[in-house]
Amino acid sequence: MQQRTPYPFTAIVGADDMSLALILTSIAPEVGGVLVRGEKGTAKSTMVRALADVLPTQPVIAGCRFGCDPSAPEPDCPDGPHQSESAAAQERPARLVELPVGATEDRVIGSLDLRKALGAGEAAFEPGLLATAHRGILYVDEVNLLHDHLVDLLLDAAAMGRNTVERDGVSISHPARIVLVGTMNPEEGELRPQLLDRFGLTVEVAASREPRERTEVVRRRLAYDADPAAFARDYAAQQAELTARIAATRDRLDEVTLDDRALATVARVCAGFDVDGMRADIVTARTARAHAAWQGRTEVTRADIRAAALLALPHRRRRNPFDAPGLDEELLDQLLDEEPPEPPDGGGEDPTDDSGDGPEDQDDTPDGDGDVGSPEPGPQDPQGHPEPSHQPDPSRAEHPSTDQSAPDQADQPADAPDSPEAPPAAAPTIGVAAAGTPYRARRFAVRGTGSGRSGRRSAAYTESGRTVGVHAPGHEPAGAKVHLLATLTAGAARRATTGTDVGAASRSSEGSGAGLRLQAGDLRHAVTRGRESNLVLLAVDASGSMAARRRMDEVKTAVLSLLMDAYQRRDRVGLITFRGEGAELALPPTTSVDAAAARLEDLPHGGRTPVAEGLLEAARVIARERIRDPRQRALLLVLTDGRATAGEDALARSRRVADSWSRSAAADTDVVVIDCETGRFRMGLAADLARRMRAEHVPLEQVAAGAIVDVVDEHRARPDGTAGPHRTDRRSAA
């Protein structure tokens, strides 16, 4: 089938920042690639795929599967040794290799050539996508959905510039210097910080809101769909002009100078935004040189550094996934306009640093971010401006402004369900708790071995991982990889049972090319064990009794911390709140931490306590998620004091729901009840709730704001790797 003509790169309307980032990383591959973030339908993939047609051709050594450069052959190339002779060189189009999200590990790093192994008995290596992309671009669409074991492979290749394979009798290492380009929709989840830092540049794209520009986009797309070849011919001259300009810019890149003054400005900008490590300085300097060459200059100017910083720093200043992406351009201009300091003499303070002024001066800065050298910036609003920190501290007094409920409703007998003198329900005062700075959560694992989607949380039988056995013939799951040794052993055993001496057959076949003939029934598939992702569902009592003593601050901080840990480990986290007369799913199960943080920011609290409604909503959510993904295991955390007060028979109803939990659709879900009851006299209602649900009961004293995840860790994981106690055993222990 004839391949369709690609959409011309120069025909794409808008997306100037993305176009510039792709061109700069093509001019200077050492910049490190581009990550493109944006909503769906913004031509992200179209522009990346169109880039290959405007890149200059590159010389390669003829017959080399790894694309070695004739002017500098790799001394340890598996297809070498090569002679540095022009006669061995040939031109080929620039490589843009696409890595599918569902690619297997063998396809990425390479594997044993089965045809040669089974036919000639030769352990030959078949290169993978990393070898094909050497000296080119490796493109990953929806990179945030890439399986973690493939992310690990890309991290190794990006860090070392080589791909090393040690498996199936193959031991080989080959160069794999790739330019990584990825596109993603942030609504579908965030990227791991280790991989995020490997992208040199990042760009945010969005659809234009200008009617005339949108009209032009549609007009060009309709023209392309009607006749792709004719449409491409209309832009052929512009494509050739861009290709020639990229080639010329590459040739004069070495002529661009980055003097000490410009280098000091780069360092001041990176330090001013308080980015981690030194990679930001190096990438910004390289990008500034490429931008200067692209603009035809031989010296790096302020404009080059500004353009480089806008592309190289936004994703590196994000301390956690809840920080808004982007860069404060006013602060950037302030840093660029400052006089560079004297060359460093081994110590001392920056004489141009104005961040040591008092609080009054800092408050007068346009962004409220005058202290550009602060080591740990606090939470930020969607515009990137800092907000006051609300780190929960159990030893501090109650929050004076965010908790407007009664002084200590948790300890007042009026809220107790058995109190005959309970006052009539009044209009509750609704407050909004402020979460503190998220902390690093310890990893916890659901007990046993599951079979859910690949992740980094709990033990499971997955499509990738460590080989621990062989599937019985005919019972292997879809996607299971072939176990070569077991397959050959099965074939040899079959020949032995038919009366043919395998050794004699092998000796007689020497020189004739005959070997072991495999049949379909000999095929064996490996049982692989790795880790899976889980659903962590928090059911939070947000009633008035929970508002006292900043408990909601602690709970919201724990939820944010779990979300941050979940996005790193590919878990999904959901939040149910119950207050007043009912319960709601405040945060549907998600891995998108940006959406999660926005939902949690305005989470209200106050009113009565509908415990039964909260448990019923949790059961519904778990049942619904089980239909969507039957293999994903769930963990339910219920944070409440157990004081059911919504309705006349609230307490009795909550007990009936708890008693029937073992018969519900969520019966096999691990449950932990965190008892938030405080005061000298306790009614033990949360403990009774845990006993009825056959869940583990954990008093609040053991789960301070920074320890909620630790309790789950201790409950689920054991130092020796064994499973926790059976659910029926936990009832007596509770």
Side-chain angles (χ1 to χ4, degrees), residues 605-684:
H605 60 257
R608 294 291 184 176
T609 311
V611 175
E613 285 71 15
L615 297 181
L616 291 174
E617 179 65 18
R620 284 191 290 266
V621 172
I622 293 173
R624 185 166 59 245
E625 293 300 316
R626 187 162 295 165
I627 294 175
R628 293 177 178 175
D629 188 354
R631 299 186 305 168
Q632 186 175 54
R633 297 186 292 167
L635 169 68
L636 174 64
L637 302 179
V638 183
L639 293 91
T640 182
D641 56 10
R643 297 186 177 190
T645 59
E648 296 181 359
D649 61 342
L651 183 59
R653 187 162 182 264
S654 67
R655 288 172 174 172
R656 289 196 299 269
V657 172
D659 288 336
S660 63
W661 182 267
S662 61
R663 301 189 298 273
S664 69
D668 57 348
T669 300
D670 286 338
V671 183
V672 178
V673 175
I674 299 178
D675 191 348
C676 299
E677 187 178 27
T678 59
R680 181 178 302 176
F681 302 101
R682 305 189 182 187
M683 305 179 65

Side-chain angles (χ1 to χ4, degrees), residues 502-514:
V502 178
S506 301
R507 290 190 296 271
S508 62
S509 63
E510 293 179 0
S512 63

Side-chain angles (χ1 to χ4, degrees), residues 6-9 12 15 18-19 21-22 25-26 34-37 42-55 95-98 137-141 179-184 205:
Y7 196 91
F9 186 86
I12 297 175
M18 178 178 174
S19 174
L22 291 174
T25 198
S26 300
V34 182
L35 174 66
V36 184
R37 296 163 47 94
T42 50
K44 301 186 298 294
S45 302
T46 300
M47 178 170 278
V48 174
R49 295 187 177 109
L51 177 65
D53 283 343
V54 296
L55 295 181
R95 289 289 179 89
L96 192 148
V97 180
E98 188 163 353
I137 296 174
L138 184 65
Y139 171 49
V140 187
D141 191 13
V179 175
L180 194 60
V181 176
T183 55
M184 59 174 284
V205 295

